[in-house]
Amino acid sequence: GQFLGGLGFVMVEKGTSLLKMMEISVAEAEKRTGKNAVNMQETYTVYLIETRPVDAASEGTNPVPDSLWRRYSEFELLRNYLLVTYPFSVVPPLPEKRAEFVWHKLSADNMDPDFVERRRVGLENFLLRVASHPDLSSDKIFYSFLTEENGWKETVFETGFQAKADSRLKALNATFRVKNPDKRFAEMKHYGDELQSVISQLLRVRARAADRLYGVYKVHGNYGRVFSEWSAIEKEMGDGLQSAGHHMDAYAASVDDILEEEEHYADQLKEYLFYADALRAVCRKHELTQYELEMAAQDLTSKKQQREELATGTIRTFSLKGMTSKLFGQETPEQREAKLKMLETQIEEGEELVKERNAECEEFVKSAWVDIERFKEQKDHDLREALISYAIMQISMCKKGIQVWNNAKECFSKM
Amino acid sequence: MSASVVDNTVSSGNSSVAIPTDISGQILDLDEDDELEVFSKDTSTTQTDGSSFNASMQTSPASMINQYKFEEEEEDADTKDIFVTVDNPESHVTAIETYITYRVETKTTRSEFDSSEFEVRRRYQDFLWLKGRLEEAHPTLIVHPLPEKFVMKGMVERFNEDFIETRRRALHKFLNKIAEHPIFSSSEDFKIFLTAGSGELTSHKKQGPGFLSRMGETVKAVAAAVRGVRNRPQEFTDMQEYAEAFSQKISSLDKVTQRIVREQKEYLEELKECGPTYALWSQSEQELAEPLKNVAGCVDNCCKETEEQVKHLNDHLIPVLHEYVLCADTLKAVLRRRDNIQADFEGKTEALATKKADRDADSKVLSLAWDSLVGRSPEEVKQQKQQKLKGEIKEMRDELDKAEDRLEWANNALKTDWTRWQKVMRTDLRSAFIDTAERNVSYYEKCLAVWESFLQSQRTDAEGNGKVDSS
C-alpha cells in the first residue's frame, strides 16, 4: 500500500505503472496575482507538484525533485479530460471547490490558509489516486500534467476531448428512458444516490455537533478566569483554586486540536461523497450507451419493416408516404425500385451501427464493471479505515479529558 | 492552526484562551476586580468566651446551656447525635389552595428530646417560619439559605416533578445545616419544628414577639440603618469586602455552570442525530454494514453518557453553587444587621452624652425668667429638673449598657460564625468540585471503553478475514 498524504492507506492494484516509477506530491501552495480572461486583476492560489523517480530516492542519492506549479482550474481540466476519455472509469474526485459543511470556527473563505492547506492535501490525494488507477495512470495527458509545465493546456485541447464532452454533456442532460435497463447498473446508480444523500447528512450533523462541542469546551475557560479571581480573596483555598483554573484553561484550549483532527475525518467522508457522484456518472454514461444502442436497433427494425411493406405491397403500419401514395396514386415500379435500394443501403448501415453500438455497450459494461468492483473494494477498505481512525480520535479525546479532570480533581482536593 | 476568532476576554493574567464573542458577551459581565485585600482572620483570638454571653440576650435558654459547644470547631461524625431527613413530598388539595408537604424524619439521642424518633409533615411556609425565627433570635449568625419561593425562569410550575425534587433536596440540606450548627441546633424553635404535630406548631407559631413589638424592632432597625455606622472596626469592613467579592465570584460560577449545561444539552441534541445517520448508511452497505452499525451504537452510547453527565451537573453542582449565591446575600445581610446594632449603640451613646451635657450645664437665664413668670421658685425648678434628668440618665445608661452588651455579643457571634461558615463553605464547595471532576473522569472513561470495544471488534474482524490491519 501507499501512504496517501496523511489520509491513510489506499489499496494499490498490481500492475499500476506510474506510482511504481515515481513519487508524486503536492508540496506547497502559494498566492499569485495576475490578469484573468477579461483582463481584470485577480488573486489565485497555485500548487507545487513535485515528482521524483522512485529508484533515485531508494538509492539514497536524494536528488532534487522535478516540480511545476498548477492552479485548481488546471486540475479541473485534467479531470474533465479523464471523465470524457475514460467514461467507464470511476474517476477520482477533486477536493471541493468551495468550503461546504463549515461550522462556525472554520472560514468559508477560499483564501483562508487552513482551507488552502486542506485543499493541498486533497489535490495530492487526487493525483495519487489517479496514479494508482489501473487505466488512468498510464494516460499520456496525465503524465504531461505532472511533468510539462508549459503548453500542457494546448496539448489537452488538441485531443479534441471538448467536442466529445459537449455532445456527451448534451446527451446526459437530456431525459431519456432505457427500455431494458441493466439491473446491476440501476442498482449501482441507486446506491450512488443513497451514498451521496447519507454522507451529506452525516457531514451536516457532524459539523453542527462540532460547533456545539466547541462551545462546551470554550465555556470551561471561564472557570479558569473566575477561579483565578476568586483565589485572590481566599486564604487556604487560593492555591488549589488557582491551579485548578489552569487545568480548566488547558481543557478549553484542547478542543482546537480535537476538532482539527476531526476535519481530516470529514475530508475522508467528503472524498467519498464526491466519489458517489463519479459512480453515478458512470452509470449514467452506461445508460446513454445502452440508449443509443436501443435507438439504433429500433431504427433498424423500423427500416426492415418498411422494406417488407414495400416489397410485399402491404401497408401494415401507418406511414405518411403510404397515405400520400394512396391519395396521389401508386408509385411507379421504378420509384419503388429506387426506394427499395435506398432502404437496403440504410439497413446495411443500420446493421453495422447496431453491431458497433452493441460492441461498444458490451465493452463499456465489461470495463465499467471491473472498475466498479475495484472501486467497491477500495471504498470498503478506505471507509472502514476512516471509521477506525475516528474511533482512535475519540479515544484520544477521552484520554485528554480524563487527564485534565484528574488533574483538576487533585487541585480541588488541595482547596 | 490559526484561529480567526475575536478575542474578547476580560484581561486577566493567566488567561490565554480566545473566547468567541457570542459566549463572552453573555458570561463576562464581571467587573475588573482590583487586587482585593486578603481578609486575614485571626481565628485564635476570636474564640468566644462563654462568660461574655449576657443572660438578657434574646436567646432561648436552651442555647445558653449549649453555649460552650460554640467553641468546638471540629464536629466528628462520631459525635453527631441528630439525623434529619426530608423526603416523600405529597400534594394536598384544600378548597383554598394546593400545596406540597414533605416528611421530616428525625432520629436523635439528645436528652432534650422526649423521644429518639420523630416524624412530622411540613410545608415550605413552615421552613420559612423557622428560618425567620432563627434570624430574629440570632441576627448576626449565618443561617443557611432556603431554596427560593418561586423559580422565575422558564415558567416552571410549582408542582413540576423536577422542581419539587430540587426543592426537597435543598430543604434537606437546610435542616441538616441547622442541625450541624452549634447554636441553631439547640434552638427551641428548631426542636418544635422537628417534633410538634401540626396543631401544636400552629399555636407555637402564634406565640413569639407580637406584631407591635416586631414593628418596634423594624422601626429601630430602619432608624439605625438611616443613621449609619460611624466607626466600623476594620475587620468588619474587610468582611464586607470579602462578602461582595465572594458574591460576585460565586454568581459567575453559577452562570458559567448553567451555560455549560445549556451548551451540553445543545451538543447532545446534535449528537443524537449522528447515530441514526450511521445506522441509515449501514442499510445501503454490505461489507461496511457491520462497522457502520457498530459506530452507530457507539455514538448512541456516548449520547446516553452525555445525558447522564448533564443530569449530574444539574442535580449536584448547580444546586450547591446556587445555595452559595444565596449564602453570599446572607453574609451581606448579617453584616448589615451587625452594623445596625452598632449604629444603635452609637446613637444611644451620643444621646446619653447629650443628656449629660444638659445636666452639667447651669440653669439658663432664660428658663429662670420663665419660671419666675409662671410663679415657681428657682430652687424648686432646679431640683425638679435635676431629678428628672437623673432619672432619664439612669434609664439611658441602662439602655446603653444593654446595647453595648448586645453589640459585643453580636460582634463575637459574627466573628466566630464567620470562621465556621468559611470552613463549611470550603468543605462544601471543595467536595462539590471534586465530585464534578470525578463525574467528568467517569464520563470520559465510559466513552473511552465504548470506542475501544469498537476498535477491538474491528481488529478481531480483520484478523478473522485474514486482512492485514494497517492501524
Side-chain angles (χ1 to χ4, degrees):
Chain A
Q2 272 279 347
F3 194 69
L4 289 189
L7 289 179
F9 277 72
V10 148
M11 294 228 317
V12 171
E13 285 280 272
K14 292 185 235 173
T16 56
S17 46
L18 198 57
L19 265 191
K20 278 197 170 170
M21 286 183 350
M22 66 171 17
E23 280 177 18
I24 306 172
S25 72
V26 176
E28 281 167 39
E30 251 181 41
K31 264 200 237 184
R32 296 274 166 85
T33 42
K35 293 252 156 82
N36 69 1
V38 287
N39 215 30
M40 283 175 63
Q41 244 344 40
E42 62 165 2
T43 315
Y44 55 91
T45 314
V46 287
Y47 300 87
L48 184 69
I49 300 178
E50 284 185 351
T51 50
R52 183 164 52 192
V54 161
D55 324 12
S58 60
E59 271 168 26
T61 49
N62 214 16
V64 175
D66 296 321
S67 63
L68 46 76
W69 295 93
R70 294 258 184 244
R71 48 187 298 192
Y72 187 82
S73 56
E74 291 176 275
F75 280 86
E76 278 182 313
L77 182 59
L78 171 65
R79 185 163 190 270
N80 286 337
Y81 163 79
L82 291 173
L83 276 172
V84 171
T85 317
Y86 302 87
F88 48 82
S89 289
V90 183
V91 177
L94 285 171
E96 55 192 357
K97 202 166 177 136
R98 263 162 288 278
E100 306 261 2
F101 306 108
V102 288
W103 55 284
H104 93 277
K105 198 194 166 207
L106 286 182
S107 173
D109 173 21
N110 280 11
M111 287 291 148
D112 177 68
D114 291 328
F115 179 78
V116 169
E117 170 58 20
R118 292 195 2 262
R119 180 181 266 193
R120 182 195 67 74
V121 172
L123 290 174
E124 183 176 285
N125 188 54
F126 166 76
L127 292 179
L128 292 171
R129 292 262 195 222
V130 174
S132 58
H133 190 287
D135 302 315
L136 306 176
S137 66
S138 45
D139 186 276
K140 298 269 180 319
I141 297 288
F142 175 57
Y143 186 78
S144 57
F145 178 87
L146 296 172
T147 52
E148 283 170 41
E149 181 144 29
N150 299 314
W152 174 79
K153 262 196 183 164
E154 285 73 22
T155 323
V156 184
F157 290 131
E158 271 165 26
T159 63
F161 88 96
Q162 289 256 304
K164 256 205 265 175
D166 289 340
S167 71
R168 288 245 109 137
L169 199 66
K170 248 189 254 159
L172 281 173
N173 285 338
T175 38
F176 54 83
R177 216 147 17 113
V178 170
K179 288 219 188 91
N180 293 311
D182 185 321
K183 196 152 172 253
R184 292 180 305 170
F185 280 93
E187 277 174 7
M188 238 333 99
K189 183 148 163 273
H190 184 62
Y191 169 75
D193 291 336
E194 286 182 342
L195 188 66
Q196 188 171 65
S197 157
V198 84
I199 294 187
S200 299
Q201 191 178 319
L202 189 58
L203 285 168
R204 255 195 314 272
V205 169
R206 193 213 71 85
R208 285 202 302 259
D211 198 22
R212 288 291 153 213
L213 190 67
Y214 184 81
V216 170
Y217 272 75
K218 286 304 181 189
V219 176
H220 279 82
N222 285 314
Y223 273 150
R225 188 174 348 91
V226 180
F227 281 164
S228 166
E229 290 167 1
W230 183 13
S231 72
I233 61 169
E234 297 290 344
K235 225 182 173 193
E236 289 106 355
M237 301 204 302
D239 290 334
L241 276 178
Q242 179 86 301
S243 45
H246 290 317
H247 292 298
M248 291 297 98
D249 287 337
Y251 182 70
S254 69
V255 76
D256 293 309
D257 286 341
I258 288 169
L259 289 179
E260 192 184 325
E261 269 193 74
E262 266 202 31
E263 274 319 302
H264 291 151
Y265 172 68
D267 284 339
Q268 286 172 284
L269 293 179
K270 271 184 210 169
E271 192 192 16
Y272 278 92
L273 175 68
F274 303 140
Y275 253 127
D277 208 40
L279 186 66
R280 279 169 42 212
V282 172
C283 296
R284 250 335 231 171
K285 282 178 222 162
H286 166 260
E287 257 188 322
L288 182 64
T289 315
Q290 174 135 1
Y291 178 72
E292 284 174 348
L293 171 63
E294 282 180 0
M295 283 295 102
Q298 204 178 303
D299 198 47
L300 181 64
T301 314
S302 102
K303 289 253 156 39
K304 280 186 174 167
Q305 212 155 50
Q306 276 179 43
R307 178 183 63 183
E308 204 197 308
E309 282 166 20
L310 213 54
T312 60
T314 56
I315 298 173
R316 257 194 252 115
T317 55
F318 176 82
S319 77
L320 193 59
K321 264 227 179 98
M323 286 316 294
T324 49
S325 67
K326 271 236 149 135
L327 283 170
F328 298 108
Q330 290 280 12
E331 320 165 284
T332 64
E334 290 84 23
Q335 284 177 322
R336 229 197 311 153
E337 221 24 73
K339 259 198 225 136
L340 259 173
K341 251 216 171 107
M342 197 176 65
L343 269 177
E344 288 290 353
T345 328
Q346 283 179 346
I347 287 171
E348 252 184 69
E349 286 172 359
E351 276 175 341
E352 273 306 311
L353 187 63
V354 167
K355 240 201 242 168
E356 241 180 72
R357 295 249 168 110
N358 214 3
E360 242 181 68
C361 214
E362 272 179 27
E363 191 57 45
F364 188 100
V365 168
K366 204 165 68 172
S367 311
W369 210 256
V370 166
D371 206 41
I372 285 176
E373 289 296 333
R374 181 204 62 82
F375 168 75
K376 269 204 254 179
E377 264 190 72
Q378 175 196 299
K379 165 202 60 119
D380 286 341
H381 178 275
D382 289 352
L383 287 175
R384 193 167 157 276
E385 289 302 311
L387 292 175
I388 288 174
S389 72
Y390 181 73
I392 293 175
M393 265 181 248
Q394 297 304 302
I395 287 173
S396 153
M397 176 175 100
C398 289
K399 285 192 176 153
K400 280 190 209 165
I402 290 171
Q403 187 183 46
V404 161
W405 284 103
N406 268 328
N407 288 340
K409 178 180 155 191
E410 258 192 66
C411 297
F412 288 138
S413 313
K414 297 199 197 114
M415 257 170 79
Chain B
M1 190 177 185
S2 63
S4 50
V5 161
V6 175
D7 190 327
N8 223 5
T9 53
V10 174
S11 66
S12 153
N14 69 333
S15 175
S16 55
V17 169
I19 294 175
T21 325
D22 62 329
I23 291 175
S24 64
Q26 289 185 40
I27 296 284
L28 306 179
D29 53 5
L30 313 170
D31 298 321
E32 293 231 46
D33 292 325
D34 295 330
E35 201 64 46
L36 285 165
E37 202 182 320
V38 175
F39 172 57
S40 56
K41 289 167 283 150
D42 209 0
T43 54
S44 55
T45 61
T46 56
Q47 289 285 11
T48 41
D49 184 4
S51 60
S52 72
F53 281 39
N54 193 309
S56 68
M57 287 299 106
Q58 294 163 296
T59 54
S60 53
S63 76
M64 300 315 298
I65 295 169
N66 291 313
Q67 69 191 16
Y68 61 90
K69 256 195 179 171
F70 206 19
E71 295 164 28
E72 284 171 24
E73 288 299 339
E74 304 303 319
E75 271 184 25
D76 295 333
D78 301 337
T79 63
K80 192 172 177 191
D81 55 4
I82 181 164
F83 298 86
V84 181
T85 347
V86 177
D87 56 20
N88 197 272
E90 261 176 27
S91 135
H92 296 254
V93 186
T94 69
I96 320 162
E97 54 173 350
T98 311
Y99 59 91
I100 308 269
T101 62
Y102 302 83
R103 186 181 80 117
V104 178
E105 191 195 41
T106 310
K107 293 197 170 112
T108 178
T109 53
R110 286 192 186 167
S111 46
E112 351 28 305
F113 286 81
D114 297 333
S115 158
S116 61
E117 271 191 51
F118 296 90
E119 193 181 307
V120 294
R121 294 209 74 91
R122 296 285 179 251
R123 56 186 290 190
Y124 181 79
Q125 271 179 19
D126 300 329
F127 287 83
L128 262 181
W129 168 84
L130 176 63
K131 177 164 187 268
R133 292 286 295 163
L134 295 174
E135 281 174 340
E136 260 180 71
H138 311 277
T140 58
L141 291 185
I142 302 162
V143 181
H144 197 73
L146 272 179
E148 280 141 328
K149 257 196 170 151
F150 307 112
V151 179
M152 277 310 157
K153 48 189 170 186
M155 302 281 281
V156 173
E157 272 202 29
R158 279 194 300 141
F159 307 110
N160 168 278
E161 247 183 59
D162 284 338
F163 175 75
I164 292 173
E165 175 58 17
T166 312
R167 183 175 262 200
R168 182 201 66 78
R169 289 210 189 119
L171 294 175
H172 176 93
K173 271 204 208 156
F174 170 76
L175 285 184
N176 275 283
K177 286 276 192 270
I178 305 294
E180 287 159 13
H181 194 287
I183 303 242
F184 294 144
S185 75
S186 32
S187 142
E188 185 66 23
D189 294 310
F190 183 52
K191 174 156 162 267
I192 293 190
F193 179 92
L194 292 177
T195 61
S198 49
E200 210 189 315
L201 180 65
T202 317
S203 55
H204 177 82
K205 277 192 192 181
K206 292 202 177 111
Q207 296 171 22
F211 178 70
L212 281 176
S213 92
R214 260 187 281 156
M215 270 302 285
E217 287 301 318
T218 314
V219 168
K220 261 203 269 177
V222 169
V226 165
R227 189 183 299 121
V229 136
R230 299 278 171 81
N231 296 306
R232 188 196 292 129
Q234 185 59 37
E235 60 188 329
F236 295 114
T237 304
D238 292 342
M239 282 187 197
Q240 188 155 60
E241 282 176 10
Y242 174 84
E244 270 303 323
F246 178 81
S247 172
Q248 276 179 12
K249 300 312 151 201
I250 204 75
S251 296
S252 299
L253 285 180
D254 185 35
K255 282 197 210 116
V256 170
T257 311
Q258 286 188 41
R259 180 58 187 249
I260 288 177
V261 166
R262 269 205 302 281
E263 294 283 337
Q264 287 266 39
K265 281 188 176 157
E266 296 195 7
Y267 170 64
L268 189 59
E269 283 309 302
E270 302 302 343
L271 200 63
K272 276 190 180 157
E273 296 194 35
C274 277
T277 308
Y278 281 109
L280 178 67
W281 187 358
S282 76
Q283 289 172 16
S284 313
E285 296 289 342
Q286 285 145 350
E287 285 292 312
L288 280 179
E290 185 267 325
L292 282 172
K293 260 190 252 174
N294 213 321
V295 167
C298 289
V299 174
D300 287 338
N301 280 334
C302 287
C303 275
K304 281 200 207 101
E305 296 302 334
T306 308
E307 219 157 4
E308 289 286 319
Q309 213 257 359
V310 171
K311 188 167 186 297
H312 188 268
L313 265 184
N314 241 340
D315 291 347
H316 293 95
L317 184 57
I318 288 192
V320 172
L321 290 176
H322 200 57
E323 263 170 54
Y324 276 92
V325 169
L326 297 175
C327 267
D329 290 337
T330 308
L331 291 183
K332 292 188 226 171
V334 157
L335 285 166
R336 264 198 309 274
R337 289 200 282 264
R338 190 218 69 85
D339 275 357
N340 290 346
I341 292 174
Q342 178 167 338
D344 181 59
F345 166 73
E346 286 174 351
K348 290 194 164 94
T349 310
E350 262 181 58
L352 180 61
T354 314
K355 260 298 174 297
K356 282 190 177 167
D358 276 356
R359 180 197 59 187
D360 295 343
D362 289 324
S363 314
K364 299 219 168 64
V365 175
L366 279 167
S367 65
L368 276 177
W370 169 252
D371 290 327
S372 62
L373 257 171
V374 181
R376 279 189 275 185
S377 81
E379 266 316 304
E380 257 178 42
V381 169
K382 204 169 172 189
Q383 285 289 2
Q384 272 179 15
K385 269 225 173 84
Q386 288 294 349
Q387 279 300 93
K388 188 167 168 225
L389 276 174
K390 214 167 155 191
E392 282 172 348
I393 285 171
K394 173 146 195 323
E395 237 182 81
M396 286 174 90
R397 186 175 281 121
D398 285 343
E399 285 290 317
L400 183 62
D401 284 343
K402 280 200 209 143
E404 186 170 19
D405 286 339
R406 194 171 24 227
L407 177 61
E408 195 178 328
W409 191 83
N411 284 350
N412 290 331
L414 174 55
K415 281 192 278 191
T416 314
D417 211 28
W418 189 270
T419 310
R420 185 182 181 278
W421 177 86
Q422 292 229 280
K423 282 216 167 65
V424 170
M425 178 269 286
R426 187 174 158 205
T427 310
D428 281 354
L429 290 178
R430 173 177 48 208
S431 66
F433 288 132
I434 290 177
D435 185 55
T436 303
E438 279 175 353
R439 195 61 194 65
N440 283 342
V441 168
S442 159
Y443 163 74
Y444 280 116
E445 279 173 349
K446 293 205 186 112
C447 289
L448 181 80
V450 164
W451 290 107
E452 286 209 318
S453 78
F454 170 76
L455 275 191
Q456 192 57 35
S457 77
Q458 296 307 301
R459 278 194 202 108
T460 46
D461 236 15
E463 280 156 26
N465 293 346
K467 286 191 208 143
V468 176
D469 192 34
S470 57
S471 57

